Amino acid sequence: MRLRELPRTTSFRLAVFFLLLFGGASSALFGVLYVQMQGFLVARVDEWLLRERTDLSRYSPEELRTRLEARALVDPSLERAMAVFDPAGRRLDGTELPAPATISAWDVPFDFAIALNGKRETYRGLARRLETGDTLLIAQSLHETDEFNEALVQAMLIGGALTIVLALGGAVFVGIGAVRRLDAVTLAIRKIVAGDLSNRLPTRGTLDDVDRLIHVVNGMLEEIDRLMREVKGVCDNIAHDLRTPLTRLLGGLERVRRHDPSKEEYGLAVDDAIAETKGILKTFAALLRISEVEDGARRSGFVSVDLAAIVQDAVDFYEPLADEKQIALSLSGQPVRLPLMGDASLLFEAVGNLLDNAIKFTPPGGHVRVTLFSCATAVGVAVADDGPGIPPAEWEAVLRRFYRTEKSRSTPGSGLGLSLVAGIAGLHGMELVLADNEPGCRITLSKAPDA
């Protein structure tokens, strides 16, 4: 674990960002609270000053002197002081409070500072000029207000320091977890890059954002792994399936080369070579067709088509082949119209492949049933036959290129028909489902109805 990587992790940066955001909000809140409390305390002092001024203004100079002397005896402290000063600033009566150096305004509260016992003390007072020319000063010490402000600031600083320590500790903890998780993901990616496509990115099982992203990536890796295995299987199957016709082609040509054939024998050998070559080209054409369909480029040319009409055309096209093999081909559940967005030629090809396979594997006297259906959740077509069927264990395998069941190996074909149907279904967003028809096989192509 490299600690220098912590500041570069998203988790650490987010934690620091929210720390700064919370710190700024807290500072603003404290500032507002400080100003409000300061204003409240000063307002209480001003309220007392104005009330005392109003009360003392009712007395004559003699009564005022008597009241101030009584007040000084009862409350000798300098917390709340009242005194009368002559124009020269000498105290005449009241609390032993020094006169302020300057009076900023009359009958209006103001702040001033004086020296008491070698210390500087802050007061808030109100000065009123008497009829005798003397000055009445009413003042209250701001010592408690200052102490309260200091305590408030100190609490804020201590709380801020604790918040910073806890937030940075949490950021480091979260950052370390992120770095460790990143290291685990990096190690898994390196193994995958080295060729181990079976490896997957580790998850925590918390379904957080990273876990959800990893699940998507793992799904992509599974698809890549499947495609790679499919490519390898296709290459193997191409080598296996083309080896036989190429061997036959080469053997026929060598036989003609070794012997002195007649014109008829030479023509038959050429016809056989042409037939083998056409079979090979047909296989490659089917592979290219599947690649073209799976590429998805034809999706841009989709238009609204009628699936019912396409299926009817396919049934009409394959009906002579079914009659030739003495197989009953029927179409049922014929809706007036089954509209969907797609490519008519591709859909015809898909339905045609299903019919061709069904007719190919159905014995004489059998029945191939084509059913159109439409409901609130899906529209589609189903093709069922009375043939040998497909074992359930091979339903997924038969959709792969060149795969053929044991029962179909003696039947002509390349094993690409259902792969092409699966590609066309995927291009149109349709679901291809294989089922047991008891006997035979039932294959359904369906799609949710277009809005």
Side-chain angles (χ1 to χ4, degrees):
M1 232 291 297
R2 297 170 295 279
L3 292 179
R4 67 175 180 273
E5 295 181 0
L6 280 178
R8 296 200 296 268
T9 62
T10 302
S11 302
F12 184 86
R13 291 181 176 181
L14 279 176
V16 173
F17 170 75
F18 281 111
L19 168 62
L20 296 176
L21 187 64
F22 177 77
S26 299
S27 298
L29 178 62
F30 172 78
V32 172
L33 179 63
Y34 182 86
V35 171
Q36 292 291 332
M37 290 299 299
Q38 184 75 10
F40 173 77
L41 294 175
V42 170
R44 292 295 300 274
V45 173
D46 290 349
E47 181 182 348
W48 178 79
L49 293 175
L50 294 172
R51 188 171 60 249
E52 290 297 325
R53 181 201 64 179
T54 303
D55 185 46
L56 296 176
S57 297
R58 297 197 302 264
Y59 299 105
S60 63
E62 292 77 11
E63 291 174 334
L64 178 62
R65 177 177 297 179
T66 304
R67 184 169 180 81
L68 292 180
E69 289 177 352
R71 178 65 179 267
L73 293 176
V74 174
D75 184 14
S77 68
L78 298 180
E79 192 67 29
R80 287 184 170 180
M82 298 179 187
V84 175
F85 300 91
D86 62 14
R90 292 189 298 269
R91 185 177 64 85
L92 301 178
D93 295 296
T95 308
E96 295 183 359
L97 181 72
T102 58
I103 297 176
S104 57
W106 298 97
D107 289 324
V108 178
F110 65 96
D111 294 335
F112 64 93
I114 58 175
L116 284 177
N117 301 322
K119 296 182 180 180
R120 186 176 181 275
E121 296 288 343
T122 305
Y123 279 81
R124 186 167 181 81
L126 185 146
R128 182 178 181 82
R129 188 178 293 279
L130 301 177
E131 297 176 354
T132 59
D134 298 332
T135 300
L136 170 64
L137 177 65
I138 308 171
Q140 179 171 328
S141 174
L142 298 180
H143 177 71
E144 291 184 355
T145 302
D146 294 339
E147 284 187 343
F148 176 81
N149 291 336
E150 290 177 3
L152 189 61
V153 171
Q154 187 177 10
M156 184 267 182
L157 293 176
I158 294 175
L162 288 175
T163 301
I164 291 174
V165 171
L166 292 176
L168 289 178
V172 170
F173 177 77
V174 173
I176 289 175
V179 171
R180 287 176 177 170
R181 192 174 192 183
L182 184 62
D183 287 343
V185 171
T186 303
L187 179 61
I189 292 175
R190 286 175 178 169
K191 291 181 180 179
I192 294 170
V193 172
D196 184 9
L197 292 179
S198 63
N199 198 25
R200 294 293 178 266
L201 304 185
T203 61
R204 288 183 175 178
T206 57
L207 294 180
D208 57 6
D209 293 344
V210 178
D211 258 14
R212 283 158 43 198
L213 178 61
I214 288 177
H215 279 302
V216 173
V217 174
N218 284 340
M220 180 185 67
L221 290 173
E222 289 177 3
E223 183 66 13
I224 292 174
D225 188 26
R226 183 189 68 80
L227 292 175
M228 292 298 293
R229 284 188 277 105
E230 211 169 271
V231 168
K232 182 180 181 302
V234 168
C235 294
D236 294 342
N237 289 327
I238 288 176
H240 181 272
D241 284 32
L242 295 185
R243 180 176 58 186
T244 300
L246 287 174
T247 301
R248 287 199 303 264
L249 175 61
L250 180 61
L253 294 175
E254 287 179 344
R255 282 194 303 272
V256 174
R257 179 79 174 179
R258 286 195 303 267
H259 300 86
D260 186 15
S262 64
K263 185 177 180 179
E264 291 77 11
E265 291 175 337
Y266 184 81
L268 290 174
V270 171
D271 289 341
D272 290 341
I274 291 174
E276 294 290 354
T277 304
K278 284 183 177 179
I280 295 172
L281 290 176
K282 185 178 180 181
T283 299
F284 279 108
L287 286 172
L288 292 174
R289 184 68 165 161
I290 294 173
S291 297
E292 177 191 0
V293 169
E294 290 181 343
D295 182 58
R298 297 186 64 166
R299 188 180 287 113
S300 60
F302 278 8
V303 295
S304 180
V305 298
D306 182 9
L307 181 62
I310 292 172
V311 173
Q312 181 67 64
D313 291 343
V315 170
D316 292 342
F317 183 82
Y318 279 92
E319 193 167 15
L321 178 62
D323 291 341
E324 182 183 337
K325 292 190 63 177
Q326 299 178 355
I327 295 172
L329 177 59
S330 63
L331 175 62
S332 61
Q334 302 180 31
V336 177
R337 179 175 169 80
L338 286 181
L340 56 83
M341 296 298 295
D343 186 305
S345 63
L346 290 180
L347 290 172
F348 179 87
E349 192 169 357
V351 177
N353 270 287
L354 295 180
L355 291 173
D356 184 67
N357 279 344
I359 295 172
K360 183 189 300 182
F361 293 107
T362 300
H367 196 174
V368 175
R369 298 174 178 82
V370 182
T371 306
L372 286 165
F373 59 89
S374 175
C375 60
T377 58
V379 297
V381 58
V383 178
D385 60 62
D386 298 335
I390 302 173
E394 300 183 52
W395 285 349
E396 182 179 353
V398 294
L399 301 181
R400 298 201 299 263
R401 300 175 192 182
F402 293 108
Y403 185 88
R404 306 187 72 188
T405 63
E406 290 297 329
K407 298 177 182 179
S408 65
R409 291 193 180 277
S410 59
T411 306
S414 60
L416 295 173
L418 286 180
S419 297
L420 180 59
V421 174
I424 294 173
L427 180 68
H428 287 79
M430 304 180 78
E431 185 179 10
L432 179 63
V433 179
L434 280 73
D436 196 344
N437 195 45
E438 299 179 352
C441 180
R442 177 182 174 88
I443 302 179
T444 303
L445 270 176
S446 63
K447 180 184 180 183
D450 293 324

